[in-house]
Amino acid sequence: MIKRKSMALGMLCCIQALLPAMAQDYMAGGRVSLAPVPQQVSGVKQAVTSLNGEWEINFSSRISAGVWRKIKVPGEAAMQGFPVQHDTAFFYRRQFTVPADAAGKQTAIRFNGVYSYAKVYVNGTFVRDHFGGFTAWECDITPYAQPGKTAEIVVEVTDRLDEISFASGYAHHTIGGILRNVDLIVRPKTHIARLYTRTLLNHNYTAGELQIETVVTGAAGTVSCTLYSPDGKKVSAVNIPVTTGAMHAKIPVPQVITWTAERPQLYRLEVKLLQSGKTIAQHKEHVGFRDVRIDGRRQLLVNGQPVKLRGACRHDMHPLLGRSTNRQQDSLDVILAKGANFNFIRTSHYPPSKDFLEFCDRYGIYVQEETAICFVAQDRGGLYNKYGSSQNDTAFTSRYLGQLSEMIDRDRNHASIIMWSIGNESSYGTNFQKEYDFLKTIDTTRPVSWSWPWTALKEGKRCFDIAVGHYPVYDGKGSDMGGIDKNMEHPDYPLLSDEWAHVACYNTDLLRYDPNTKDYWGRSMDTTWLVRFDVPGNIGGAIWGMIDETFHMPEKVTGYGPWGIVDVWRRPKAEYWNTMKAYSPVRIGQTSFPQAKTGDVLQLPVKNRFDHTNLASVTCKLIVDGKTKNYPLPDIAPHANGVISLQTAGIRGNSALLKFYDQNGFLIEEERISWGPVVLPVLPAAKVKWAGTSGDGYQSGNLQIIAPQNGAGMKIRKGNQELVSGLPEVMVNRPVDGNAFKNTAGIFSGPLEAANIKVTSNGETVQYTCSGNIGKYPVSYTVTLHASGLVEVQYEADSIPRQTWEIGIKIPVSTALDQISWNRKGYWSTYPAEHLSAAEGTAVKTGKVTAYRERPLNDIAQDMTDYYLAKSNDVKAGTTEASEIYRARKEHIYHFTLSKQNKPGKIRVISDGSQSAKMQIDAQGRQWLQVADKWDYWSLSWGNFQGTRNKSRKVSGTIKFIIE
């Protein structure tokens, strides 16, 4: 009896009110909360039916008029060849059959995103309207459609110019349409109308409690809740008698398994609605037990541990349907994020799909979910400015609060969401304050972020818990765009740079000229994270951005540009590997040991940049001599430093590869550890004489030089293959505007002017001595051609500008040469073989040409088409002169070889790792081999590293290459 009484008291304790915050009215702005989608409904074969697929569209001003044409749903109308005008309504329609077994039940249609204002009609009757393009909402169509009968739904859509999300504005085209899934849902008339969960943890995070709030419409019954652990075992269950209004329950979890991005352990909550002991509907939720808070040091804590956020900003982006998404794409984006070592995604600048959040829960990604408000009281441009300042306008308050409450209502149960954002890059106003105040009454479990915070602080206001600053200076020696970054912290709030390390996209001239811009960006990303990781109040940031913003519309390509680390087809770009390396939670501080020898034990300094994982639990694979074995790692706590001892005895050669995998099997780091001195290329023997001369020609074996006195027509041949097609020239290339914020054109060296050229020979060498001007730069240089095949170019240039793109020598070479190979000192110790800046590799001039709007089947480095940079959808205009990997600069070379495939004869540049080389094909079709002593990437800006200013107006250098 005593035992039974105790159990009864325990049950009564479970059925009680939660904290006051969970008893509020969660909706605002006249919005209605979404009932959870049932998995099963008694007597119904299929509770949810997709209405995606083929619909019809009509741009007449009246539903009954005009021409109806086929369109795919979901997806933008404009991306499918249907131009949309602002503030002009158009119509979608389709027929569907209401299941016969829906009789006596509620039938609803859920729209997961219609941009931006919609009205719904069923069988000719107006049902409801909705503002906002990225939140989910439903239409109860029970009174308008009969079970077993065909019904017609018409959706009137308007892309409104006053839309507070400004989503069409920053997409550079009108995105109006049904952007996300449409579902037909059948529920019992008595159904669960609300199902909120909240997880609590005790002070040492060993025990937890699941709090449940639910509302049931209709008659009496029971809500049965059963919780299962991540391994599928039943934890506990509770039955809640149905009453009027909100009902609450608690399920204790004595030995809780917590959720983090590193260990995304999910419990399963099964909920059944019963009447007369029979189940009439079943639901399922996944629950992650985790606690999020801010401590006194302005640190973001998850389960009591400081967390450093490393991620990117993500847009919905479909290559052919535009601002749209699907489940497959959402899952792929999360896998790509994990592969790039993200633990964080900002859903810029609107809520994502429910599917995307499900995958973030499952795979472990912290999410900053942002409501769809953007660029308020900022320069939106053109007609958009007419409605751009809504921050204090009470006519817009219901839209601010309505969309915010819809977002939170749908998504609050997701463990992955650790903060809400109430808008992007906007000036403070009362509507933002009302958002914050409303949010703090309905969810106290997550902090709130917002940009721009300084516009509130200067008015003595606060509508955020986390201070957001965009585009901090990469090395921490300057402030961010908002001016709130003080020594990489804010004095009063945690600092989050939820936009940082902007990927090159506006820099179209630089990107066209040198695809290596993509790789050069990586050192900014690396430094940005390195210098901030140990700053307590700096909680991290998000790269702008994750996915390219290039809309391949039928008639044109538009968008902000290729600002992603993956392209719209989800192909990893050069930036992807840089991100994976920069964000790696295992950071090896030294990979090269030039003074060591085989047999030594190398001490590798290591930083454990995990938040919740000891380094000893990371799997490390040691790969040497073609064999792989597990290599145990030391016991190093999260955020701590330590040493990995690497035994080199018995290893052939002078390097070993280490690969690190997290507990979910993702490759998180790889490093090639090398020891011993770098072996530099060997020059050919110098004491070789020319075998003979013939007119202007010199010959040594099958090496032939045509060396006329005036330099014009100078050529170098190897056998029958022409290699060098003219006299090398000094190269001083500079940006038009070295301080450009977005883009600058280049001014490239022309031919030698006012030329003074003299040629001499001493039997062993033929030497050109040249002087004059290249543009406005006085130059002098000598070209010494050795009979051994060695060519040395010594140069000097004067009066050069402070900012240049490159300084060195350019060599005119035969257009028949079409293959390069190289070996270089990379920024990273390893690269994928296909990376355009791999430490060593081979590439050919001819890459892959892909027709406009077709899916490329090759790695990006092989691309020869770039329709965005060409600003054209014509394949001829969009095709570049050579593949990306062929045209991209190779930095810090030891050798760089140019040849013709499968033919003898080559040009091999040799260096000590201090120079770079790249191929360039000019507008006249001439091919140049460019070798630089200095190179920079001005216009990367946005806080990124761009290069260094020239210390002197006079420069000099020596370039060496061999004819082989």
Side-chain angles (χ1 to χ4, degrees), residues 583-642:
Y583 275 163
S584 173
V586 178
R587 179 71 182 201
I588 305 298
Q590 182 179 352
T591 60
S592 178
F593 297 82
Q595 306 304 317
K597 61 184 183 301
T598 299
D600 290 348
V601 178
L602 305 181
Q603 303 299 316
L604 314 182
V606 61
K607 175 87 169 184
N608 180 359
R609 299 196 296 190
F610 280 106
D611 302 314
H612 295 91
T613 301
N614 190 293
L615 193 67
S617 64
V618 172
T619 299
C620 178
K621 303 283 188 181
L622 174 65
I623 304 171
V624 292
D625 304 330
K627 298 178 180 179
T628 302
K629 67 175 183 179
N630 287 333
Y631 200 82
L633 296 176
D635 180 3
I636 301 174
H639 296 195
N641 296 301

Side-chain angles (χ1 to χ4, degrees), residues 27-35 128 130 136-138 193 402 405-406 409:
M27 305 308 294
R31 307 298 171 103
V32 178
S33 63
L34 284 177
R128 66 163 294 184
H130 183 267
W137 48 284
E138 285 187 359
S405 62
E406 284 180 332
D409 173 61

Side-chain angles (χ1 to χ4, degrees), residues 288-555:
F289 282 84
R290 58 104 186 94
D291 174 83
V292 182
R293 63 186 63 212
I294 296 167
D295 74 353
R297 298 183 68 193
R298 308 181 311 283
Q299 297 182 119
L300 181 69
L301 307 182
V302 174
N303 302 340
Q305 296 297 316
V307 164
K308 297 292 187 174
L309 303 178
R310 53 183 195 273
C313 300
R314 175 189 179 265
H315 272 298
D316 286 357
M317 195 72 215
H318 189 284
L320 301 179
L321 298 174
R323 190 69 81 217
S324 191
T325 187
N326 57 56
R327 185 171 175 83
Q328 179 183 16
Q329 185 172 286
D330 288 339
S331 64
L332 177 58
D333 285 356
V334 173
I335 294 298
L336 285 167
K338 293 295 289 187
N341 277 325
F342 291 1
N343 70 353
F344 175 59
I345 290 248
R346 176 192 180 204
T347 69
S348 52
H349 299 295
Y350 41 81
S353 70
K354 186 82 170 172
D355 287 337
F356 180 78
L357 294 173
E358 177 190 320
F359 291 116
C360 289
D361 291 343
R362 184 188 303 179
Y363 289 103
I365 293 285
Y366 297 125
V367 174
Q368 174 192 19
E369 186 169 9
E370 189 159 271
T371 191
I373 303 173
C374 187
F375 297 166
V376 176
Q378 304 296 309
D379 183 14
R380 292 181 167 187
L383 293 174
Y384 290 107
N385 283 332
K386 180 179 179 181
Y387 300 104
S389 297
S390 60
Q391 70 274 24
N392 293 304
D393 192 337
T394 57
F396 286 86
T397 302
S398 63
R399 294 203 223 170
Y400 278 69
L401 296 179
Q403 291 186 111
L404 176 68
S405 62
E406 284 180 332
M407 175 181 80
I408 297 168
D409 173 61
R410 189 198 68 172
D411 295 337
R412 64 186 301 142
N413 292 351
H414 288 279
S416 56
I417 300 171
I418 61 167
M419 71 179 77
W420 305 111
S421 168
I422 60 171
N424 173 63
E425 293 189 1
S426 299
S427 295
Y428 176 79
T430 56
N431 284 332
F432 288 109
Q433 191 66 55
K434 289 174 182 176
E435 278 194 293
Y436 178 78
D437 294 342
F438 169 75
L439 205 162
K440 300 308 286 187
T441 67
I442 65 168
D443 183 12
T444 60
T445 68
R446 298 173 175 94
V448 176
S449 65
W450 172 71
S451 58
W452 300 115
W454 64 87
T455 65
L457 293 173
K458 72 179 182 181
E459 297 186 29
K461 305 291 185 180
R462 170 191 167 186
C463 59
F464 56 89
D465 305 313
I466 293 172
V468 168
H470 286 178
Y471 306 111
V473 178
Y474 74 101
D475 60 2
K477 298 177 181 178
S479 189
D480 54 32
M481 276 188 176
I484 65 169
D485 182 350
K486 306 297 183 184
N487 298 317
M488 298 177 285
E489 294 183 288
H490 188 280
D492 302 314
Y493 304 98
L495 178 65
L496 173 67
S497 298
D498 63 13
E499 292 182 26
W500 70 8
H502 202 301
V503 174
C505 73
Y506 309 109
N507 327 62
T508 51
D509 290 85
L510 191 56
L511 286 166
R512 277 193 294 262
Y513 177 64
D514 185 2
N516 186 62
T517 305
K518 301 176 179 182
D519 185 67
Y520 193 85
W521 165 89
R523 63 201 67 193
S524 296
M525 182 65 265
D526 185 38
T527 307
T528 294
W529 192 223
L530 270 175
V531 300
R532 287 167 175 80
F533 187 86
D534 292 316
V535 179
N538 193 300
I539 63 174
I543 299 166
W544 192 275
M546 181 178 175
I547 304 165
D548 279 356
E549 191 78 355
T550 54
F551 295 87
H552 291 69
M553 303 175 72
E555 74 283 2

Side-chain angles (χ1 to χ4, degrees), residues 67-101:
V67 177
W68 291 93
R69 291 172 287 178
K70 294 177 181 179
I71 188 170
K72 183 177 181 179
V73 169
E76 288 183 27
M79 290 291 291
Q80 299 179 69
F82 301 104
V84 172
Q85 301 297 319
H86 283 304
D87 297 329
T88 302
F90 58 100
F91 303 93
Y92 286 82
R93 77 175 182 189
R94 71 160 288 171
Q95 280 77 42
F96 63 97
T97 300
V98 179
D101 54 16

Side-chain angles (χ1 to χ4, degrees), residues 539-779:
I539 63 174
I543 299 166
W544 192 275
M546 181 178 175
I547 304 165
D548 279 356
E549 191 78 355
T550 54
F551 295 87
H552 291 69
M553 303 175 72
E555 74 283 2
K556 66 176 181 179
V557 59
T558 189
Y560 264 106
W563 60 24
I565 64 170
V566 298
D567 75 351
V568 293
W569 303 99
R570 276 33 180 204
R571 295 182 299 166
K573 297 164 58 179
E575 294 93 336
Y576 187 84
W577 183 257
N578 279 283
T579 301
M580 189 273 271
K581 294 286 291 181
Y583 275 163
S584 173
V586 178
R587 179 71 182 201
I588 305 298
Q590 182 179 352
T591 60
S592 178
F593 297 82
Q595 306 304 317
K597 61 184 183 301
T598 299
D600 290 348
V601 178
L602 305 181
Q603 303 299 316
L604 314 182
V606 61
K607 175 87 169 184
N608 180 359
R609 299 196 296 190
F610 280 106
D611 302 314
H612 295 91
T613 301
N614 190 293
L615 193 67
S617 64
V618 172
T619 299
C620 178
K621 303 283 188 181
L622 174 65
I623 304 171
V624 292
D625 304 330
K627 298 178 180 179
T628 302
K629 67 175 183 179
N630 287 333
Y631 200 82
L633 296 176
D635 180 3
I636 301 174
H639 296 195
N641 296 301
V643 173
I644 298 174
S645 297
L646 179 63
Q647 175 59 258
T648 68
I651 298 177
R652 295 194 299 269
N654 64 343
S655 71
L657 182 65
L658 293 176
K659 288 192 172 188
F660 301 85
Y661 298 86
D662 71 9
Q663 294 158 344
N664 303 307
F666 285 95
L667 175 69
I668 56 174
E669 181 61 292
E670 65 175 48
E671 295 284 11
R672 181 162 293 282
I673 310 302
S674 60
W675 53 92
V678 175
V679 179
L680 297 176
V682 178
L683 294 175
K687 298 296 183 179
V688 179
K689 293 184 178 294
W690 292 103
T693 62
S694 176
D696 290 336
Y698 298 82
Q699 192 160 345
S700 175
N702 62 353
L703 173 65
Q704 182 184 9
I705 295 177
I706 298 174
Q709 291 294 318
N710 62 3
M714 181 271 202
K715 297 182 185 301
I716 302 177
R717 293 193 180 103
K718 187 77 170 182
N720 296 323
Q721 176 66 50
E722 181 179 305
L723 299 175
V724 177
S725 303
L727 194 65
E729 301 176 6
V730 176
M731 172 180 67
V732 181
N733 296 334
R734 69 179 179 89
V736 170
D737 179 6
N739 296 307
F741 184 61
K742 288 191 174 182
N743 190 38
T744 179
I747 298 176
F748 298 97
S749 295
L752 187 67
E753 300 170 352
N756 179 16
I757 300 176
K758 181 180 179 182
V759 61
T760 59
S761 175
N762 63 5
E764 292 180 2
T765 64
V766 176
Q767 188 172 78
Y768 280 94
T769 304
C770 312
S771 61
N773 292 289
I774 288 181
K776 58 183 180 182
Y777 315 121
V779 301

